[in-house]
Amino acid sequence: MAAATSFSPISVPSPNSSSKTRKTLTAPSNLGFLASTSRPLRSLKASTMNSTVNGSGSALGSRMVSVPVAKPQVSLDFETSVFKKEKVSLAGHDEYIVRGGRDLFKLLPDAFKGIKQIGVIGWGSQGPAQAQNLRDSLAEAKSDIVVKIGLRKGSRSFAEARAASFSEENGTLGDIWETISGSDLVLLLISDAAQAENYEKIFSHMKPNSILGLSHGFLLGHLQSMGLDFPKNISVIAVCPKGMGPSVRRLYVQGKEINGAGINSSFGVHQDVDGRATDVALGWSVALGSPFTFATTLEQEYKSDIFGERGILLGAVHGIVEALFRRYTENGMSEDLAYKNTVECITGIISKTISTQGMLAVYNSLSEEGKREFETAYSASYYPCMDILYECYEDVASGSEIRSVVLAGQRFYEKDGLPAFPMGKIDQTRMWKVGERVRKARPAGDLGPLYPFTAGVYVALMMAQIEILRKKGHSYSEIINESVIEAVDSLNPFMHARGVSFMVDNCSTTARLGSRKWAPRFDYILTQQALVAVDKGTPINQDLLSNFVSDPVHGAIEVCAELRPTVDISVPPDADFVRPELRQSSN
């Protein structure tokens, strides 16, 4: 795998060059986007100079993060007797996918051969979406497979499940342990902390030769940390939608008249006791409405997923907008404009542009002055972001972050004479109150301004995350979905609709905990390092910018963009497909 420093540089002129000779990157040069009409703040500018930093490539002088030599990608080929496998080339690497679509629902009975009941355990972020999508897809396929919800006795979620037309009377709703014992395919969608606490009892209730389905590899990581593995008399598979549960359901419903709308998914087979596992996993993904499904392993999935949630998907984007909002207002920008130039900029025009045309299109849509501001921000932010991302990945891979999630779950309740500490709110500061005001005045369909400095920080964060995953041997399908597609197509639209909590708190408990823990780290390092470097006039690292321009990920993103969902997700402020506790507010 090519490292970020190994690409052939593309000339980026110095400020002494005529603007007429400034090189346009290989993407549409004029998308008609307008930067903010306010004058750029003096403190956000730095002189553009060729970097001469001892080959370190650091925007901060002599220091940079050293990332290990890239691990080779593992082969993720697979065989299926039901669906059509396709080969795609991403940045010179051959990978294999299965395209989805409602026209494939007729194949579900073959994919689920031998399965009479699918037990969906839990009613959190993924449970409601997956249960309803599976039920609707199987009904369209005229299958008699039962989709049954399993909940613990006394759970408040029984009312929510009944409201979604699951019931005890028709055998589609019941006790968690009875549901597990009676199911041929058990989709374990309870929280990761609950899985860690109850896995032994869960395994003991599963039928021999049944299939355990996961939508996250967390449980494998937890078992590995204790030197354990799954029982050998069951198959273990994973189908992992690249978006929160509400997105999975919303796009499925939106796309009922459009073949293929939904959320992309990865799949993995950890154990296959009877040769059915791959087809069952692919059938599960197709039934969820995944436009395309790519292969991974449970280990690679949990590492990239837990890491990504703490990175650009949730934690890091929260941290950088907090840092930039404070920066802009301290330097004289109005609060409303600062919110638009941070949150609205990222969740609106930047996300839309990256989703449909890629990161280079964001850069190329800027004026010459805007490009210089982008370069200043990118150069100053890339390595500080990588510093925290690298630490985060190592914490996930070592099991430290998994242990942190389990311990945090235990602190939700009183113990050892200490009070309970459930998750607190994250949208009560001045910034997010300003956001409420901005959204109330926002015209329908407005995507906000394209503010160059914010764009430079955000794209630097995205590229740093891509590089960490690439060096750690993840496939390009996984890298692009976990670092790009999920961010701009699935998650950012929720922050655009109602702020950071509406995005973060519609996700899993593991994601919510991780976002709260790591967001302050990104805020801190940008404030203490990146923005200080800008103020000092640290030279722009031209090698870093050249590597960004020539990075092969841009071509891979173009291929994946052709496989994106066929409709954009619509997230109205009064959305009723989100977590019940988040439905009341209309801010």
Side-chain angles (χ1 to χ4, degrees):
M1 184 68 63
T5 53
S6 66
F7 307 132
S8 300
I10 290 180
S11 175
V12 180
S14 72
N16 297 323
S17 303
S18 167
S19 62
K20 294 182 180 179
T21 62
R22 188 178 183 84
K23 187 171 183 64
T24 300
L25 311 185
T26 54
S29 61
N30 184 5
L31 301 179
F33 301 144
L34 298 177
S36 169
T37 56
S38 67
R39 292 180 60 83
L41 302 179
R42 176 184 295 270
S43 60
L44 300 184
K45 295 181 179 179
S47 299
T48 307
M49 300 172 58
N50 290 325
S51 175
T52 57
V53 183
N54 298 329
S56 73
S58 174
L60 303 179
S62 61
R63 177 184 168 278
M64 70 168 278
V65 177
S66 176
V67 180
V69 175
K71 296 180 181 178
Q73 290 187 9
V74 297
S75 175
L76 295 172
D77 196 0
F78 58 90
E79 296 299 326
T80 171
S81 61
V82 177
F83 301 99
K84 179 182 178 182
K85 181 180 71 173
E86 297 181 39
K87 181 168 71 174
V88 294
S89 180
L90 300 176
H93 295 265
D94 289 339
E95 299 186 27
Y96 298 91
I97 67 168
V98 167
R99 291 182 190 263
R102 293 170 186 267
D103 58 318
L104 299 182
F105 289 174
K106 62 180 180 288
L107 301 178
L108 295 179
D110 290 335
F112 291 139
K113 188 175 181 180
I115 293 174
K116 295 181 180 179
Q117 178 173 293
I118 299 174
V120 179
I121 311 303
W123 196 263
S125 176
Q126 288 289 336
Q130 294 202 28
Q132 292 177 86
N133 288 14
L134 278 163
R135 179 190 62 192
D136 294 353
S137 298
L138 288 167
E140 190 168 326
K142 296 180 171 55
S143 170
D144 58 2
I145 296 174
V146 174
V147 177
K148 183 176 181 179
I149 309 299
L151 302 172
R152 56 183 170 78
K153 290 181 178 178
S155 170
R156 290 177 295 178
S157 297
F158 270 95
E160 286 290 322
R162 293 186 191 108
S165 300
F166 295 94
S167 70
E168 295 92 335
E169 291 74 20
N170 65 12
T172 60
L173 177 62
D175 171 70
I176 179 174
W177 306 115
E178 292 175 359
T179 303
I180 291 174
S181 297
S183 296
D184 307 293
L185 170 59
V186 177
L187 306 186
L188 190 61
L189 303 180
I190 57 177
S191 72
D192 293 332
Q195 291 183 31
E197 184 177 349
N198 295 288
Y199 69 89
E200 290 180 298
K201 188 173 181 180
I202 291 167
F203 295 161
S204 71
H205 278 75
M206 291 187 66
K207 297 190 294 186
N209 298 319
S210 61
I211 303 172
L212 176 64
L214 305 168
S215 280
H216 192 16
F218 181 97
L219 184 55
L220 173 64
H222 178 65
L223 294 174
Q224 287 178 335
S225 71
M226 300 182 294
L228 303 174
D229 204 340
F230 295 96
K232 297 305 180 184
N233 64 341
I234 61 171
S235 294
V236 181
I237 62 176
V239 169
C240 309
K242 301 298 110 177
M244 65 175 80
S247 294
V248 173
R249 181 59 179 171
R250 179 60 170 173
L251 275 171
Y252 180 94
V253 172
Q254 279 184 248
K256 281 195 173 181
E257 306 304 321
I258 304 172
N259 192 40
I263 293 286
N264 297 332
S265 296
S266 63
F267 89 96
V269 175
H270 185 71
Q271 281 182 191
D272 187 354
V273 298
D274 57 12
R276 295 183 297 150
T278 296
D279 284 331
V280 170
L282 290 171
W284 174 12
S285 185
V286 168
L288 293 183
S290 305
F292 81 89
T293 305
F294 62 92
T296 186
T297 67
L298 263 68
E299 184 171 2
Q300 292 289 74
E301 192 284 328
Y302 83 73
K303 289 178 180 178
S304 65
D305 189 68
I306 298 175
F307 164 70
E309 293 165 349
R310 286 141 181 77
I312 198 166
L313 300 182
L314 299 172
V317 69
H318 183 187
I320 67 172
V321 296
E322 293 265 7
L324 292 177
F325 179 84
R326 189 170 59 250
R327 167 79 167 189
Y328 296 164
T329 54
E330 287 175 353
N331 285 280
M333 190 179 288
S334 72
E335 289 182 331
D336 285 28
L337 189 56
Y339 189 86
K340 292 176 183 177
N341 284 337
T342 53
V343 177
E344 303 272 288
C345 173
I346 289 173
T347 62
I349 194 62
I350 288 178
S351 290
K352 181 67 172 180
T353 305
I354 292 175
S355 173
T356 56
Q357 300 176 73
M359 286 179 280
L360 288 179
V362 174
Y363 177 85
N364 284 336
S365 67
L366 298 169
S367 66
E368 296 306 310
E369 183 179 14
K371 288 176 180 176
R372 286 190 290 273
E373 288 192 38
F374 177 102
E375 292 165 1
T376 297
Y378 186 98
S379 179
S381 303
Y382 180 87
Y383 284 115
C385 286
M386 181 178 277
D387 188 352
I388 304 301
L389 289 166
Y390 188 13
E391 177 188 350
C392 182
Y393 188 97
E394 297 284 271
D395 277 3
V396 173
S398 69
S400 175
E401 191 67 15
I402 291 174
R403 180 64 176 161
S404 174
V405 170
V406 174
L407 291 173
Q410 296 173 0
R411 292 193 297 272
F412 290 169
Y413 312 97
E414 293 183 17
K415 68 170 188 174
D416 301 331
L418 295 171
F421 286 95
M423 282 184 279
K425 294 182 179 295
I426 56 174
D427 61 353
Q428 300 299 299
T429 60
R430 179 66 184 168
M431 173 183 182
W432 301 107
K433 296 304 179 183
V434 170
E436 294 176 10
R437 183 173 70 230
V438 169
R439 290 192 295 275
K440 287 179 180 178
R442 183 172 66 199
D446 180 42
L447 294 177
L450 179 55
Y451 199 66
F453 196 88
T454 299
V457 174
Y458 185 73
V459 173
L461 169 65
M462 186 170 280
M463 288 298 298
Q465 180 160 316
I466 288 169
E467 183 65 359
I468 293 290
L469 289 172
R470 183 163 48 193
K471 287 291 183 66
K472 294 295 185 177
H474 293 264
S475 70
Y476 268 98
S477 289
E478 193 157 57
I479 292 168
I480 293 167
N481 274 279
E482 292 285 5
S483 303
V484 182
I485 295 175
E486 186 170 357
V488 300
D489 283 346
S490 176
L491 294 168
N492 286 350
F494 281 77
M495 184 155 62
H496 193 71
R498 270 179 42 194
V500 68
S501 179
F502 195 58
M503 175 181 70
V504 172
D505 290 331
N506 265 303
C507 295
S508 69
T509 300
T510 297
R512 297 167 69 195
L513 286 167
S515 180
R516 285 163 165 80
K517 176 180 176 180
W518 289 89
R521 297 291 307 281
F522 288 95
D523 182 342
Y524 181 87
I525 203 164
L526 285 175
T527 300
Q528 295 292 331
Q529 294 187 16
L531 299 181
V532 169
V534 171
D535 288 340
K536 287 182 177 179
T538 302
I540 288 176
N541 184 336
Q542 297 294 352
D543 290 340
L544 193 61
L545 291 169
S546 295
N547 292 338
F548 163 61
V549 173
S550 59
D551 198 300
V553 76
H554 300 304
I557 290 172
E558 287 184 12
V559 176
C560 289
E562 297 175 0
L563 301 168
R564 72 186 295 274
T566 50
V567 296
D568 293 329
I569 191 169
S570 172
V571 186
D574 59 351
D576 62 357
F577 52 87
V578 299
R579 284 181 180 269
E581 63 270 24
L582 297 175
R583 291 178 192 167
Q584 303 305 313
S585 173
S586 59
N587 292 325

